[in-house]
Short mmCIF file of all heavy atoms in Angstrom, two decimals:
data_model
loop_
_atom_site.label_atom_id
_atom_site.label_comp_id
_atom_site.label_asym_id
_atom_site.label_seq_id
_atom_site.Cartn_x
_atom_site.Cartn_y
_atom_site.Cartn_z
N VAL A 757 -17.32 150.15 -137.85
CA VAL A 757 -16.15 150.55 -137.04
C VAL A 757 -16.70 150.86 -135.58
O VAL A 757 -17.49 151.71 -135.35
CB VAL A 757 -15.50 151.83 -137.56
CG1 VAL A 757 -14.38 152.22 -136.72
CG2 VAL A 757 -15.07 151.58 -139.06
N LEU A 760 -12.73 153.62 -130.46
CA LEU A 760 -11.27 153.58 -130.38
C LEU A 760 -10.81 152.77 -129.17
O LEU A 760 -11.17 153.12 -128.05
CB LEU A 760 -10.70 155.03 -130.30
CG LEU A 760 -9.23 155.19 -130.13
CD1 LEU A 760 -8.46 154.65 -131.39
CD2 LEU A 760 -8.89 156.70 -129.93
N ARG A 761 -9.93 151.77 -129.37
CA ARG A 761 -9.47 150.89 -128.30
C ARG A 761 -8.26 151.57 -127.66
O ARG A 761 -7.56 152.40 -128.31
CB ARG A 761 -9.12 149.57 -128.84
CG ARG A 761 -10.19 148.82 -129.61
CD ARG A 761 -9.89 147.36 -129.93
NE ARG A 761 -8.57 147.02 -130.35
CZ ARG A 761 -8.29 145.88 -131.00
NH1 ARG A 761 -9.22 145.12 -131.48
NH2 ARG A 761 -7.05 145.57 -131.31
N GLY A 764 -5.11 151.82 -129.77
CA GLY A 764 -5.06 152.69 -130.97
C GLY A 764 -5.82 152.13 -132.19
O GLY A 764 -5.95 152.76 -133.23
N PHE A 765 -6.31 150.86 -132.02
CA PHE A 765 -7.03 150.22 -133.12
C PHE A 765 -8.60 150.35 -132.80
O PHE A 765 -9.00 150.80 -131.67
CB PHE A 765 -6.67 148.78 -133.32
CG PHE A 765 -5.41 148.60 -133.97
CD1 PHE A 765 -4.13 148.60 -133.19
CD2 PHE A 765 -5.24 148.46 -135.35
CE1 PHE A 765 -2.96 148.39 -133.83
CE2 PHE A 765 -4.00 148.29 -135.95
CZ PHE A 765 -2.87 148.35 -135.16
N HIS A 766 -9.39 149.95 -133.81
CA HIS A 766 -10.90 149.93 -133.62
C HIS A 766 -11.30 148.50 -133.87
O HIS A 766 -10.91 147.89 -134.86
CB HIS A 766 -11.51 150.87 -134.61
CG HIS A 766 -11.15 152.30 -134.53
ND1 HIS A 766 -9.86 152.82 -134.86
CD2 HIS A 766 -11.81 153.39 -134.03
CE1 HIS A 766 -9.88 154.09 -134.63
NE2 HIS A 766 -11.01 154.44 -134.08
N ASP A 767 -12.27 148.00 -133.07
CA ASP A 767 -12.90 146.77 -133.39
C ASP A 767 -13.77 146.91 -134.67
O ASP A 767 -14.40 148.03 -134.76
CB ASP A 767 -13.79 146.28 -132.20
CG ASP A 767 -12.87 145.53 -131.17
OD1 ASP A 767 -11.93 144.86 -131.54
OD2 ASP A 767 -13.21 145.64 -129.97
N LEU A 768 -13.76 145.90 -135.44
CA LEU A 768 -14.42 145.98 -136.71
C LEU A 768 -15.40 144.81 -136.93
O LEU A 768 -15.17 143.74 -136.44
CB LEU A 768 -13.49 145.98 -137.96
CG LEU A 768 -12.35 147.01 -137.97
CD1 LEU A 768 -11.48 146.77 -139.18
CD2 LEU A 768 -12.93 148.45 -138.00
N SER A 847 -1.09 145.58 -148.30
CA SER A 847 -1.31 144.30 -147.66
C SER A 847 -1.16 143.10 -148.63
O SER A 847 -0.65 142.04 -148.26
CB SER A 847 -2.70 144.28 -146.98
OG SER A 847 -2.84 145.35 -146.12
N LEU A 877 1.68 141.60 -139.44
CA LEU A 877 2.04 142.66 -140.38
C LEU A 877 1.08 143.77 -140.54
O LEU A 877 1.34 144.96 -140.78
CB LEU A 877 2.40 142.07 -141.75
CG LEU A 877 3.61 141.10 -141.80
CD1 LEU A 877 3.56 140.28 -143.03
CD2 LEU A 877 4.87 141.95 -141.68
N GLY A 878 -0.29 143.43 -140.47
CA GLY A 878 -1.31 144.44 -140.63
C GLY A 878 -2.70 143.76 -140.66
O GLY A 878 -2.85 142.55 -140.93
N SER A 879 -3.72 144.61 -140.35
CA SER A 879 -5.04 144.06 -140.16
C SER A 879 -5.62 143.45 -141.36
O SER A 879 -6.48 142.53 -141.28
CB SER A 879 -5.96 145.19 -139.70
OG SER A 879 -5.42 145.88 -138.66
N ASP A 880 -5.28 143.93 -142.59
CA ASP A 880 -5.89 143.46 -143.81
C ASP A 880 -5.04 142.29 -144.52
O ASP A 880 -5.46 141.72 -145.50
CB ASP A 880 -5.96 144.55 -144.85
CG ASP A 880 -7.07 145.60 -144.45
OD1 ASP A 880 -7.88 145.29 -143.52
OD2 ASP A 880 -7.06 146.68 -145.11
N GLY A 894 -12.28 141.47 -134.64
CA GLY A 894 -11.11 142.06 -133.99
C GLY A 894 -10.71 143.33 -134.70
O GLY A 894 -11.65 144.15 -135.10
N ARG A 895 -9.48 143.55 -135.08
CA ARG A 895 -9.13 144.75 -135.84
C ARG A 895 -9.19 144.40 -137.39
O ARG A 895 -8.77 145.19 -138.29
CB ARG A 895 -7.82 145.30 -135.45
CG ARG A 895 -6.64 144.30 -135.63
CD ARG A 895 -5.34 144.91 -135.04
NE ARG A 895 -4.31 143.89 -134.94
CZ ARG A 895 -3.52 143.43 -135.93
NH1 ARG A 895 -3.62 143.97 -137.08
NH2 ARG A 895 -2.67 142.46 -135.73
N GLY A 896 -9.80 143.24 -137.68
CA GLY A 896 -10.07 142.81 -139.09
C GLY A 896 -9.22 141.63 -139.45
O GLY A 896 -9.50 141.07 -140.52
N THR A 921 -4.51 155.69 -144.04
CA THR A 921 -5.50 154.89 -143.29
C THR A 921 -5.57 155.47 -141.84
O THR A 921 -6.73 155.70 -141.36
CB THR A 921 -5.15 153.47 -143.28
OG1 THR A 921 -5.21 152.94 -144.61
CG2 THR A 921 -6.22 152.63 -142.52
N PRO A 922 -4.43 155.58 -141.12
CA PRO A 922 -4.60 156.15 -139.72
C PRO A 922 -5.30 157.52 -139.72
O PRO A 922 -6.08 157.77 -138.81
CB PRO A 922 -3.13 156.27 -139.25
CG PRO A 922 -2.33 155.37 -140.10
CD PRO A 922 -3.06 155.26 -141.44
N ALA A 923 -4.96 158.35 -140.72
CA ALA A 923 -5.62 159.66 -140.70
C ALA A 923 -7.10 159.58 -140.87
O ALA A 923 -7.89 160.36 -140.26
CB ALA A 923 -4.97 160.51 -141.88
N TYR A 925 -9.08 156.97 -139.94
CA TYR A 925 -9.59 156.51 -138.70
C TYR A 925 -9.68 157.66 -137.61
O TYR A 925 -10.60 157.82 -136.91
CB TYR A 925 -8.79 155.37 -138.09
CG TYR A 925 -9.23 153.99 -138.65
CD1 TYR A 925 -8.56 153.40 -139.65
CD2 TYR A 925 -10.35 153.32 -138.10
CE1 TYR A 925 -8.92 152.10 -140.11
CE2 TYR A 925 -10.73 152.12 -138.56
CZ TYR A 925 -10.02 151.52 -139.55
OH TYR A 925 -10.45 150.28 -140.04
N ARG A 926 -8.59 158.48 -137.59
CA ARG A 926 -8.53 159.66 -136.71
C ARG A 926 -9.71 160.62 -137.05
O ARG A 926 -10.38 161.08 -136.09
CB ARG A 926 -7.22 160.38 -136.80
CG ARG A 926 -6.13 159.86 -135.88
CD ARG A 926 -5.00 160.82 -135.67
NE ARG A 926 -4.40 161.26 -136.93
CZ ARG A 926 -3.40 160.65 -137.58
NH1 ARG A 926 -3.01 159.47 -137.11
NH2 ARG A 926 -2.95 161.05 -138.73
O1 C5P B 1238 -3.31 147.17 -139.20
P1 C5P B 1238 -2.80 148.28 -140.09
O2 C5P B 1238 -1.38 148.47 -140.02
O3 C5P B 1238 -3.31 148.20 -141.55
O4 C5P B 1238 -3.48 149.62 -139.51
C1 C5P B 1238 -3.04 150.91 -139.94
C2 C5P B 1238 -3.67 151.92 -139.03
O5 C5P B 1238 -5.08 151.97 -139.22
C3 C5P B 1238 -3.50 151.60 -137.53
O6 C5P B 1238 -2.28 152.09 -136.99
C4 C5P B 1238 -4.72 152.35 -136.99
O7 C5P B 1238 -4.42 153.78 -136.86
C5 C5P B 1238 -5.78 152.22 -138.03
N1 C5P B 1238 -6.64 151.05 -137.77
C6 C5P B 1238 -7.60 151.07 -136.76
N2 C5P B 1238 -8.42 149.98 -136.55
C7 C5P B 1238 -8.29 148.90 -137.23
C8 C5P B 1238 -7.36 148.81 -138.33
C9 C5P B 1238 -6.53 149.89 -138.57
O8 C5P B 1238 -7.70 152.03 -136.08
N3 C5P B 1238 -9.08 147.88 -137.00
#
Side-chain angles (χ1 to χ4, degrees):
V757 179
L760 176 64
R761 307 190 320 203
F765 285 88
H766 299 72
D767 278 327
L768 304 178
S847 301
L877 293 165
S879 308
D880 290 346
R895 58 185 168 82
T921 302
Y925 274 100
R926 271 198 305 276

